[in-house]
């Protein structure tokens, strides 16, 4: 009986062995787990829940039917355009002042940073007390030196919104000034020394050295400030409370107004309508930073 010879079958080469996690990687995962859980519970879940509450189209219909919404949207645009641009321009100017290596300027910078370092509630409420028309310190000084009654500062919508923008600029200006100071310090001093040898003026140094080096940083700070200010309610809510007659509300304080009226869906809708403005800003910022 003949036998059939079978071909030799070579075993397939084994795949690459999976590397076991090192002890450092295991401990890194263990230490990161609490932060991931905190992010999921206190950041991702509230955002997702807010979007879920604002999912009904009827909420936006009711929102657009409220005349206060359009006034709040207009106030938000005015607040962002004026307050942020004025704040960033002043920060750019002050960064050139505080970057000077003089002792008295260093001590002055410590006082300058105090408004940003102090909590918002006591500082902004102190402004509200000073602007009180009856017993506020500002009207008291006006009456003492002129014999005239001071204005009701927070009773005029345009004036009240302007004061809220002023308080916002005063409170957040030190932070952005420090960021721009760091940008100026990163510019090599040799470039300014070479420009001085060539007889360049201060304006020419700024135009051809400082601004080209800080343009991306300045634009990034402006976009970040816009995003943060869009969700910031302290300056308006603590100073004016949205009054008089809800005429100084911005979108952030409008959401709080709806929450106080137990209209949670409208509160979330008032915040969600700002997303079409926030998302392009974030995309543009990330695109600029990736270059």
């Amino acid at each position: 009986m003949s036998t059939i010879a079978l071909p030799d079958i070579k075993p397939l080469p084994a795949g690459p062995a999976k590397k076991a996690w090192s002890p450092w990687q295991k401990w890194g995962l263990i230490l990161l787990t609490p932060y991931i859980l905190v992010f999921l519970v206190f950041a991702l879940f509230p955002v997702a829940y807010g979007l879920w509450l604002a999912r009904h189209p009827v909420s936006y219909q009711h929102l657009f039917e409220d005349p206060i919404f359009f006034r709040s949207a207009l106030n938000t645009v005015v607040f962002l355009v004026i307050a942020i641009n004025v704040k960033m321009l002043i920060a750019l100017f002050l960064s050139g002042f505080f970057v000077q290596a003089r002792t008295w300027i260093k001590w002055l910078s410590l006082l300058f940073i105090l408004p940003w370092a102090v909590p918002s509630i006591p500082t902004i409420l102190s402004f509200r007390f000073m602007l009180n028309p009856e017993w506020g310190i500002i009207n008291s000084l006006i009456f003492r030196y002129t014999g005239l009654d001071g204005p009701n500062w927070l009773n005029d919508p345009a004036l009240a919104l302007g004061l809220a923008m002023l308080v916002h600029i005063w409170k957040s200006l030190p932070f952005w000034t420090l960021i721009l100071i760091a940008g100026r310090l990163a510019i090599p001093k040799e470039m300014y020394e070479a420009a001085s040898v060539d007889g360049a003026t201060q304006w020419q140094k700024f135009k051809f050295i400082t601004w080209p080096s800080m343009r991306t940083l300045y634009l990034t700070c402006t976009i970040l400030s816009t995003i943060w200010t869009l969700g910031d309610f302290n300056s308006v809510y603590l100073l004016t409370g949205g009054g008089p007659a809800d005429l100084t509300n911005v979108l952030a304080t409008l959401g709080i107004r709806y929450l106080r009226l137990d209209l949670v869906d409208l509160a979330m809708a008032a915040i969600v309508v700002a997303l079409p403005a926030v998302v392009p800003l974030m995309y543009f910022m990330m695109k600029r930073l990736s270059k």
Side-chain angles (χ1 to χ4, degrees), residues 87-280:
K87 173 181 62 180
M88 296 307 301
L89 287 174
I90 296 176
L92 181 63
F93 170 77
L94 290 178
S95 66
F97 171 75
F98 284 112
V99 79
Q100 301 179 68
R102 298 180 183 179
T103 304
W104 68 274
I105 292 180
K106 293 181 179 179
W107 285 106
L108 183 61
S109 63
L110 295 177
L111 297 176
F112 175 72
I113 202 175
L114 283 179
W116 174 69
V118 176
S120 298
I121 294 179
T123 53
I124 299 178
L125 287 181
S126 66
F127 274 96
R128 184 169 183 170
F129 296 151
M130 289 190 294
L131 294 171
N132 187 281
E134 297 180 1
W135 43 263
I137 187 174
I138 296 178
N139 280 6
S140 298
L141 292 175
I142 292 176
F143 182 79
R144 177 180 298 179
Y145 292 107
T146 65
L148 302 174
D149 293 331
N152 193 340
W153 299 96
L154 301 180
N155 197 42
D156 179 75
L159 182 59
L161 187 63
L163 290 171
M165 289 189 285
L166 182 63
V167 170
H168 168 78
I169 293 172
W170 173 81
K171 187 74 176 67
S172 57
L173 180 63
F175 174 78
W176 298 111
T177 302
L178 287 176
I179 299 298
L180 296 181
I181 287 175
R184 284 181 180 267
L185 293 176
I187 303 174
K189 295 182 179 180
E190 291 79 7
M191 300 178 66
Y192 291 105
E193 294 173 356
S196 299
V197 172
D198 294 337
T201 62
Q202 292 296 328
W203 167 248
Q204 290 174 329
K205 291 179 182 178
F206 174 82
K207 182 178 180 181
F208 297 106
I209 299 177
T210 305
W211 177 246
S213 302
M214 297 182 59
R215 182 166 48 201
T216 300
L217 176 62
Y218 182 87
L219 182 60
T220 302
C221 291
T222 302
I223 296 175
L224 274 178
S225 179
T226 302
I227 297 173
W228 291 350
T229 305
L230 192 60
D232 179 30
F233 63 91
N234 291 333
S235 302
V236 175
Y237 187 75
L238 296 177
L239 186 67
T240 69
D246 290 319
L247 294 177
T248 60
N249 272 313
V250 293
L251 290 178
T253 58
L254 182 63
I256 297 177
R257 174 182 178 271
Y258 288 135
L259 286 176
R260 295 174 63 183
L261 296 174
D262 201 20
L263 300 173
V264 182
D265 54 340
L266 290 184
M268 295 299 103
I271 297 173
V272 170
V273 293
L275 290 180
V278 174
V279 174

Side-chain angles (χ1 to χ4, degrees), residues 19-31:
K19 295 182 179 179
W21 283 28
S22 66
W24 285 108
Q25 291 175 326
K26 294 179 181 179
W27 275 109
L29 181 61
I30 293 173
L31 294 176

